[in-house]
Amino acid sequence: MDKALKKKTWTSKKILTIVGVITLISLIGFSITMMQRKSNLNVKAERLSIQLIKEDTFQEFIPLNGSVLPINSIFLDASVGGRVEEKYVEDGAFLKKGDPIMRLSNTDQELSLVNQETSVLNLLTQSQIAQTNAQQVSINNRNQLADVENGLKEAERLYRLNKKLYDEKAIGQQEYQKTVNDFHYQKERMELTKKILQQDSLSTTQKVKQDRQMYERTQRALELMRKKVDDLVVRSPVDGQLTSFDAEIGQNKNVGERLGQIDVLTGFKVRADVDEHYISRIYNDLLGNLTMNNKQYTLRVKKVYSQVNNGRFQVDMEFMNEVPQGIRRGQTLQIKLALSDETKAILLPRGGFYQQTGGNWIFKLSEDGSSAYRVDIQLGRQNPDYYEVVKGLDPGDKVITSSYESYDKIQELNIQK
C-alpha cells in the first residue's frame, strides 16, 4: 500500500520568488533614497548670499568709462610743405591766437613768389604804357574832331553866304554849287569822324577794362602766393593749448601733414565707448551722472558716433550747469548713463545665480529660513545693481543670489546655521 508524501511548505521556487521581490523592493527603496539625497543638499549659511526682495525706485542705466577731452580741438595741418627751420614753442605750450609755433623753409615757394611779383610788375608796366598810348590816341582823335568841326562851320558859313548872294544874283551857279558840295562833304566827314571816334573810344575802354581785370587776377595770385610763403611760419589759429606737436629741426613736412592740434580750453566734454548692444537705445539728450569729490554732476549726450569698431561705438557728452573742478584732459571718469526714467519696481539684487539659471528660476527661502526651494521667476529690465522682477517674487521674500554652480540638479537646500 502506497504511503502519502507530506507537501513541502517552502519550495525552492517560492524562496527564489520571495528573494527577488525583496531585492526589487530594496532597489526601489535605495533609488528613492538616492533621489531624495540628490534633490536635497545641506549647505552652510555662511556660504550663501541671501538678499531681501524689495520694492523701490528703479532706473535702467549702464556704466561707462569716459575720457575727458577739450570742448573743441583744431588740427594743425601743413598748408605748404617745407623743411623745419625753427621751433618757437614745445608741446603743451599755451598760445594766443597768432602766436608763431614753427618756421618752415621752401625755396620753390619763395622763388615762385619772386617770379610772380616780377610778372605783376611787368603787367603793371605794360598796362600803364597801354593807358598812355590810349590817352595819346584820344587826344589825337579830339584834335581831329576839332579840325573837322571847324571845317564844317567854315563850309556852313560860306554856304549860307553864297546862297544869299546867289539868290540876289550876285554870284554864279558854279561858285554857289561848289560851296554846297563842300558843305555836304564836311557834314559827311563830321558824321564819319564821330563814328570813328566812338568806335575808338569803345575799343579803348574795353582794352583798359581787360587790362585792369588781368592785373587784378595777377594781383590776387600774387596775394595767394604771398600767403603761402607767409604760411611757412605756422601760427596758432585760436587761443588754446598746443598738443600732439610733432616736429623736429631739419625734418621735412609734406603738404597736408598733421603737425599737431590746438585744444580750446573754454570747456570740456567726455567721450565714452558703448557696447554695440545699446546702439539702438542711445540718442542725443540722454542724461548721465557722475560723482566726484562727493558731489554729483550731470552730463548730456551731445553726439552719437554710429560707426562700430570692435563691437563698440562712441558718444560725446557735455556737462550741464557745472563742470567738476580740477579735471584734466585725458582723465577717466566713471559715468552712469540713464536709459529710462525712474519708476517703482520690485527689485532683485544682482548675483552669480544668473549664470546658471538665466533668470528663469531662483532659490527662495522658507518662512523660518531653514530651507530654500526652487521657484520660477520672470525678470525684466536690469542695471548694474538690480534686476526688475516681473513675476514670481514679492517684496519681503528672501532669496539666494550667490552662485548655483553646484546646485544645478538640486531641488531644495537645507540651510545649516
Side-chain angles (χ1 to χ4, degrees), residues 151-195:
L152 177 61
K153 289 179 180 179
E154 182 63 20
E156 184 178 8
R157 185 186 69 81
L158 292 175
Y159 163 71
R160 294 182 183 280
L161 176 61
N162 288 347
K163 183 176 186 304
K164 184 177 181 181
L165 294 174
Y166 177 73
D167 290 341
E168 294 174 354
K169 308 296 183 178
I171 60 173
Q173 183 177 3
Q174 184 175 357
E175 186 177 356
Y176 169 68
Q177 190 63 42
K178 181 178 179 301
T179 56
V180 170
N181 293 340
D182 187 52
F183 174 61
H184 287 304
Y185 165 74
Q186 292 296 338
K187 285 182 64 176
E188 291 178 0
R189 185 183 176 197
M190 182 66 178
E191 294 296 327
L192 181 61
T193 301
K194 286 183 177 181
K195 289 182 180 179

Side-chain angles (χ1 to χ4, degrees), residues 41 43 48 363 370-372 400 407 410-415:
L41 183 66
V43 293
L48 304 175
F363 279 115
S370 62
S371 63
I400 298 173
Y407 307 155
I410 304 303
Q411 297 294 320
E412 186 175 350
L413 299 176
N414 297 319
I415 302 175

